[in-house]
Amino acid sequence: MKLQRKNRLRALSLGAVAVSGALALTACGSDDTGDKASDSSSSSSSAGTSSIKCDDAKGQLLSDGSSAQKNAIDAWVAEFSKACGVQINYKAGGSGAGVTAFNQGQLAFAGSDSALKPEEITASKKVCTGGQGVDLPMVGGPIAVGYNLEGVDTLVLDAPTLAKIFDGKIAKWNDAAIKKLNPDAKLPDLKIQAYHRSDESGTTDNFTKYLKAATPENWKYEGGKAWQAKGGQAAAQSSGVAAGVKQTNGAIGYFELSYVADGMKAVSIDTGASAPVAPSSDAASKAIADAKVVGTGQDLALELNYATKAEGAYPITLVTYEIVCDKGNKADSLPATKAFLNYIASEEGQGKLADLGYAPIPADIISKVRTTISGLS
């Protein structure tokens, strides 16, 4: 992915966020604010070759959740709002915040980098009258381990070394374990500043699932959305972790590949395959293709193989789900919710992901997602 193209898309998507910052209709619904959608709300977009179908979409939508998918959501919102006149406010407050707000009836849909837990599904039934919250895998991608280390342009790490770094057991960049993996690098006698998420995050959940699966003897923590290891530097959301790493020589952190920017590099992972694997859309897709659907009914929760040693497969991979009621959605927000979800699950919507540093969902899975969306009521 080229940084210039990514930055142009980010600039475009920021404009969409500015337009869509007003309070929005929620899953619990509200009276019509009087805002009218453009005439395109009842037809397909006429802009370019876009295949966006607005149908009866109108008004505004409020959503919250995964910051991992924010850059994708911003780009999608820019196109969808232009075509359909619907305002979408995606707050990107983290997966934990999104699930909580959804189960309180505050959102039309939520984003989460972890599938709903059984107790969260039970809670959703109070909001989804006659139904429940379901997981729709929509955005795939690698969790990059970004670092900022002057004079070191390439860096290879493995699961045991990563676990010890983020657990405070490897404190200097010239530690013997890092030297062994990078014999040609000029590693400085410099303290490692390891950044992690301060908020509950599906990115944390997936990153620690990788450490637990790939090196259980070195990562003894239970795991979950909340960071559990001691020490290190904490920052809110992926953007905060990325900013901390970018501003600090000697820093390392985890976040989605789309957050790797000037001043940072991404670690390649020694998985035990013939060559270390760098994070990329293709490498993430190879890992996601091995995922199994473990959800029941309309729920499409996936099980990833974090300990994969397949050639070219990047193991620290996440899938972001859009969480929505399968039944019991509010009549005033349902048309816009379905239209937006249909767009982002479409070939056109999924086609935007690679240029943003994400991975599209494999065809056999995304086809099931489209079927579920068509039946939302």
Side-chain angles (χ1 to χ4, degrees), residues 6 136 198 225 267 283 289 300:
K6 178 179 72 177
L136 304 180
S198 61
K225 294 177 183 176
V267 171
L300 297 173

Side-chain angles (χ1 to χ4, degrees), residues 110-181:
S112 177
D113 305 324
S114 300
L116 291 169
K117 298 177 181 178
E119 61 269 25
E120 292 170 337
I121 293 176
T122 298
S124 73
K125 294 179 180 180
K126 297 179 180 179
V127 175
C128 306
T129 305
Q132 66 175 52
V134 292
D135 300 287
L136 304 180
M138 200 70 73
V139 180
I143 299 174
V145 179
Y147 71 98
N148 178 359
L149 192 58
E150 292 180 4
V152 180
D153 292 330
T154 60
L155 185 69
V156 175
L157 297 173
D158 58 12
T161 307
L162 276 171
K164 292 174 184 177
I165 287 172
F166 281 92
D167 201 19
K169 294 177 180 177
I170 291 180
K172 293 288 189 72
W173 279 109
N174 62 349
D175 185 272
I178 303 177
K179 283 185 175 181
K180 184 177 180 180
L181 290 163

Side-chain angles (χ1 to χ4, degrees), residues 12-353:
L12 175 64
S13 60
L14 285 173
V17 172
V19 170
S20 60
L23 280 177
L25 294 178
T26 69
C28 2
S30 64
D31 292 335
D32 193 332
T33 62
D35 294 336
K36 300 297 182 183
S38 67
D39 291 341
S40 63
S41 64
S42 59
S43 63
S44 298
S45 168
S46 60
T49 59
S50 175
S51 60
I52 296 174
K53 295 181 179 180
C54 304
D55 297 323
D56 296 321
K58 61 181 180 180
Q60 303 169 329
L61 294 176
L62 178 62
S63 185
D64 193 4
S66 165
S67 62
Q69 68 170 354
K70 184 179 186 300
N71 294 331
I73 290 287
D74 286 351
W76 282 333
V77 166
E79 295 299 321
F80 184 78
S81 295
K82 179 174 65 177
C84 301
V86 174
Q87 295 182 352
I88 300 175
N89 180 11
Y90 185 76
K91 297 170 70 174
S95 297
V99 172
T100 297
F102 178 80
N103 280 341
Q104 291 174 346
Q106 299 175 12
L107 309 176
F109 68 94
S112 177
D113 305 324
S114 300
L116 291 169
K117 298 177 181 178
E119 61 269 25
E120 292 170 337
I121 293 176
T122 298
S124 73
K125 294 179 180 180
K126 297 179 180 179
V127 175
C128 306
T129 305
Q132 66 175 52
V134 292
D135 300 287
L136 304 180
M138 200 70 73
V139 180
I143 299 174
V145 179
Y147 71 98
N148 178 359
L149 192 58
E150 292 180 4
V152 180
D153 292 330
T154 60
L155 185 69
V156 175
L157 297 173
D158 58 12
T161 307
L162 276 171
K164 292 174 184 177
I165 287 172
F166 281 92
D167 201 19
K169 294 177 180 177
I170 291 180
K172 293 288 189 72
W173 279 109
N174 62 349
D175 185 272
I178 303 177
K179 283 185 175 181
K180 184 177 180 180
L181 290 163
N182 301 273
D184 298 327
K186 295 181 179 179
L187 297 166
D189 182 13
L190 179 67
K191 181 181 178 180
I192 298 174
Q193 302 281 355
Y195 278 80
H196 60 266
R197 290 281 289 269
S198 61
D199 54 322
E200 289 198 356
S201 161
T203 309
T204 293
D205 190 17
N206 284 275
F207 180 63
T208 55
K209 280 179 179 176
Y210 159 71
L211 295 176
K212 286 177 63 180
T215 183
E217 66 277 15
N218 290 301
W219 196 259
K220 302 292 187 178
Y221 301 99
E222 182 179 347
K225 294 177 183 176
W227 184 259
Q228 296 169 345
K230 305 298 181 183
Q233 308 294 323
Q237 303 176 7
S238 293
S239 57
V241 174
V245 173
K246 183 177 179 180
Q247 296 165 7
T248 308
N249 183 37
I252 189 170
Y254 58 91
F255 32 76
E256 296 64 47
L257 182 59
S258 59
Y259 286 93
V260 176
D262 294 335
M264 281 191 286
K265 305 288 185 180
V267 171
S268 292
I269 303 299
D270 183 345
T271 65
S274 63
V277 185
S280 70
S281 295
D282 288 344
S285 290
K286 288 181 180 179
I288 297 171
D290 287 336
K292 299 177 181 179
V293 176
V294 294
T296 59
Q298 299 302 308
D299 187 87
L300 297 173
L302 302 176
E303 182 178 81
L304 299 173
N305 179 12
Y306 297 96
T308 181
K309 296 182 180 180
E311 295 294 331
Y314 185 78
I316 319 176
T317 301
L318 62 73
V319 170
T320 300
Y321 301 92
E322 310 313 330
I323 296 170
V324 66
C325 295
D326 58 354
K327 298 178 182 178
N329 292 279
K330 292 298 180 179
D332 50 9
S333 59
L334 179 59
T337 300
K338 289 184 69 171
F340 182 66
L341 293 178
N342 271 320
Y343 162 57
I344 67 179
S346 70
E347 184 175 349
E348 178 183 343
Q350 290 287 299
K352 294 183 177 295
L353 292 176

